[in-house]
Amino acid sequence: MNIASEWMLLFLAFFIPLQLPSLLASTDTGYINIDCGAEEAYTDSDSNIAQHIEKLPDGVRNCYTLTPKQGKNNKYLVRAFFAYRNYDLKHTPPSFDVYLGVNHWNTIEFGDLYMYFPIEVTHFALSDTISVCLVNIGKGVPFISSLELWLLTDSTYRTSSSFPLDILTRSTFSMSEDTLFVRFEDDVYDRVWFNRIVGNSKKISTSATIDSYGIENTNKLPSQVLKTAIQSLSLNSSLEIYFNNHTDSSHVYYINLYFFEFDQRVTTQKRIVDVTFNDKSILTDPFTTQHLKLVTIVQNITQADHLRISIKATPESDLPAMINAFEVYRVLSLTNSATYQEDADTILKIKHIYGIPIINWQGDPCIPNHFAWEELTCSSDGTPRIISLNLSSRGLTGPIDVSFSRFSELQSLDLSYNKLTGEVPEFLAQLSNLKFLLERNPGLCLARSCKTKKNLVPLIASIAASVAVLVMIVLTFLMIRRIKKKNGVSKKDWQEKSDKYVFSLRDVNRITNNFKTKIGKGGFGEVYLGTMQDGRDVAVKLLSQTSRQGDREFHSEVNLLTIVHHKNLVSFVGYCDEGDVKALIYEYMDQGNLQGLLSGRNPNVLKWSERLQIAVDVALGLDYLHNGIRPPVVHRDLKTSNILLNKKMQGKISDFGLCRPFINENDAHISTIPAGTFGYLDPEFQRTGKLNKKSDVYSFGVILLELITGQRPIKEEASLENKGHLLHWVNRKLKNGDIKSIVDPRLRGEYNTSSAWKFIETAMGCVPPKAIQRPDISEVLSELKICLNLNQQQTHTRERSETESSRRNPNNSLDMGSLNSLGIESTAGPYAR
Ligand SMILES: *[C@@H]1O[C@H](CO)[C@@H](O)[C@H](O)[C@H]1NC(C)=O
């Protein structure tokens, strides 16, 4: 929108000779350092700040972020000036957009080369920073001449609207005709009051000294404005003020009218005034002026494309109507909501900590969408949240800062290919659902390896500095360490490492009530039910001495579990490693394992939709292990007995004892370790000994087949024809195209056929003999989501037609709502809406 032509004219006439610095000099303000590139700016003044800048920003959006020390929950007057003055000698003033934070404030269009363009807004800051952004709209390079910020008091410009108020006009009357505006030093906010000429009126003024501070004057009108007014020519004629330049019916406007009675006559006579806006009376009662009292009328107006203010004396009045000044504001609509404050603060902090020199990291990180910072993605509904951050190859150095943990909705964090050093902090693991990539940071280490290094450094130092005797002692010490290490990691290291996960034998005895309730038994040992102090149920896996899960597996599992956390991995509570007792403590999974649930002995047959959901859950967990952390983790022992279900039938992967975390994928030694369970074992691995992520995909395919058929992977049936691997059995049935004979008969046909086909197809896709023919788990996951979607769609179509026939009220949102509640990504596939 183009700002008042009166501004242009007036500034043309008067501001050119007036240089900007002198303009600002009169304010004697504090200093604010505004740097192009959105550096934070600080003020050292208590009341206000102003800065003269002439900047030619490069980039599409350039923001100036002001950080007044008074901080948030304060009201400010933000004023920007734009003076083109043909600085580039191109005789072509640019046109550009100005944003206040994330919302459009104004479009700057110069009518003339020498036009001086001020815009001003009163803004209640909800955050500690206020940013003003210039946006290139393809009509020349934006620039800014100065930006000022003034702290207002709480009562100043108080309205019922909490939105920013953009000034359209600020008028005073009755200056001599060749005075175009007043900007007296006594205007504490350096506002400019234009001298407006109104017909059928008479100028009045007082020569008395008016102390603008000595009266009730919340909007702090300067005394010069108080000392002049216009008055109607007669008792029964009215003052008519038109304002039609920039109003449109889509906005809300606020109008402030000021009446300051300086006429001595009111001590004996009455001046009673009534006001109408567009012929509507706005006062419940006409008011009577009082000597040296300021009356301020604040009125909002909607749906108006023009404004006519009429001020009239009532028939009872002895004196004619009068007015001193008025202001018109437009309420800026805040259509965009800024990024969640903590996320925005955190990303700025990270930018500072690592000195990230990304030019476009300016203004709000997420909003407006087309200016969102490239390195991150944001959630799109409600308050925008940062959900992924990719700082790969940004030359980051130093430790991983704790700030990263403040992104509470972060789902993906890529810090790979940097020079980060120090320990991989535990908080990364605490953010549920966070996938993080840390590969190619040579200086980063896991807690365990860091410890060893740290201890060695002082040792080496002391060797160098000590005499031979000391060397002997040190060597002896080192030897002891070596011996200890051969048996695994020294206990001291472990306990120091993650105290919060360490439980003593006494704790374990208490938690399990002296191993009272046994809930399971496996090759590794026995599982007991336990209760934590906070009432949480846990499962305590006690490793038997003869367990095939040796020291190595135990520590491997503990090490992994303290680092990886995902909603589809059984969550780890802690471990005990005391004397001969080795125990792992997990969240308790009410529904037991999938093998048990699928077994014919379970009277509650798993529903088709439950099976699909469990498949998606497990795929999510596996996708996290394979693709969510780097280097990837290969589970190596996926099977239905390692899939546990909680009360809500949410599937989670457990048993990480054979996992090989944080080992280079090409690392040769992993291939020599036999692993896995008969029936789930990748045939290629059996042949070649080469194990990789695709071995897990194979095992997962077998699990999917079990979910579909309800059968065990190795069929032990009497008839020779049905003996052998489930996979071959399904293959034979598929040849006949007979889906009914494949799907678990216990479902009694209660499944969606198209989702069943898709499900079988997906499962079979996972189990080709050659690893290279198998898809990545991420692809499997999206196929499974489609299955789930197909099934949902059918269910809802049925529900909907029932609903429609009963009350003829089709409600399409039903589908979306229910899909969303299942957490299905709406972009999952061709069936997504
Ligand atoms: C991060 O960005 C790099 C390129 O800058 C890309 O190779 C990598 O795949 C991205 N990471 C993620 C998790 O998308």
Side-chain angles (χ1 to χ4, degrees), residues 441-598:
N441 282 286
L444 268 188
C445 52
L446 289 170
R448 220 171 128 185
S449 44
C450 296
K451 205 90 219 169
T452 325
K453 272 187 212 151
K454 272 186 210 150
N455 287 349
L456 279 174
V457 173
L459 283 179
I460 292 163
S462 65
I463 293 168
S466 64
V467 290
V469 182
L470 265 176
V471 172
M472 291 285 292
I473 296 168
V474 169
L475 282 177
T476 318
F477 177 72
L478 279 176
M479 270 171 69
I480 293 167
R481 276 182 64 94
R482 283 270 289 280
I483 292 162
K484 265 188 162 177
K485 266 190 158 170
K486 260 195 183 150
N487 301 329
V489 178
S490 86
K491 296 228 170 84
K492 196 166 156 286
D493 278 0
W494 273 102
Q495 274 145 18
E496 275 175 16
K497 179 198 160 232
S498 43
D499 269 345
K500 109 172 216 240
Y501 290 107
V502 179
F503 288 79
S504 69
L505 185 52
R506 254 185 49 212
D507 294 333
V508 175
N509 277 329
R510 202 193 54 238
I511 290 168
T512 59
N513 197 358
N514 295 313
F515 300 96
K516 195 168 158 214
T517 318
K518 195 182 342 178
I519 52 175
K521 187 172 162 54
F524 47 83
E526 280 155 352
V527 185
Y528 294 88
L529 182 64
T531 309
M532 303 294 290
Q533 243 161 356
D534 60 11
R536 240 183 330 157
D537 283 338
V538 290
V540 179
K541 186 163 112 177
L542 190 63
L543 273 65
S544 71
Q545 300 267 274
T546 54
S547 151
R548 71 167 184 154
Q549 184 162 19
D551 225 40
R552 183 193 169 98
E553 279 76 22
F554 177 76
H555 289 302
S556 156
E557 178 152 7
V558 169
N559 200 10
L560 180 64
L561 287 172
T562 54
I563 291 168
V564 299
H565 285 239
H566 186 269
K567 68 178 185 340
N568 298 110
L569 303 182
V570 170
S571 78
F572 183 60
V573 177
Y575 68 97
C576 168
D577 185 9
E578 200 173 306
D580 291 335
V581 177
K582 285 188 175 37
L584 295 166
I585 307 169
Y586 305 95
E587 69 175 306
Y588 177 63
M589 302 289 285
D590 292 76
Q591 299 289 328
N593 69 43
L594 184 57
Q595 187 184 334
L597 285 172
L598 281 173

Side-chain angles (χ1 to χ4, degrees), residues 390 392 412 414 437:
N390 186 346
S392 178
S412 161
D414 191 342
L437 307 181

Side-chain angles (χ1 to χ4, degrees), residues 375 388-394 412-417 435 437 627 630:
E375 292 71 18
S388 89
L389 177 59
N390 186 346
L391 291 175
S392 178
S393 310
R394 290 288 172 188
S412 161
L413 173 64
D414 191 342
L415 297 174
S416 57
Y417 294 86
K435 289 183 174 187
L437 307 181
N627 305 315
R630 289 282 168 83

Side-chain angles (χ1 to χ4, degrees), residues 357-427:
I358 302 175
I359 182 127
N360 289 329
W361 277 33
Q362 299 197 19
D364 191 275
C366 301
I367 301 293
N369 285 341
H370 50 288
F371 292 125
W373 302 356
E374 237 168 68
E375 292 71 18
L376 45 86
T377 51
C378 304
S379 60
S380 54
D381 35 280
T383 302
R385 299 294 307 257
I386 294 177
I387 54 175
S388 89
L389 177 59
N390 186 346
L391 291 175
S392 178
S393 310
R394 290 288 172 188
L396 310 189
T397 55
I400 298 179
D401 194 78
V402 71
S403 306
F404 284 106
S405 67
R406 290 170 59 206
F407 291 118
S408 47
E409 300 272 297
L410 200 62
Q411 292 164 12
S412 161
L413 173 64
D414 191 342
L415 297 174
S416 57
Y417 294 86
N418 283 302
K419 299 188 187 89
L420 294 167
T421 50
E423 255 181 51
V424 175
E426 237 171 56
F427 62 74

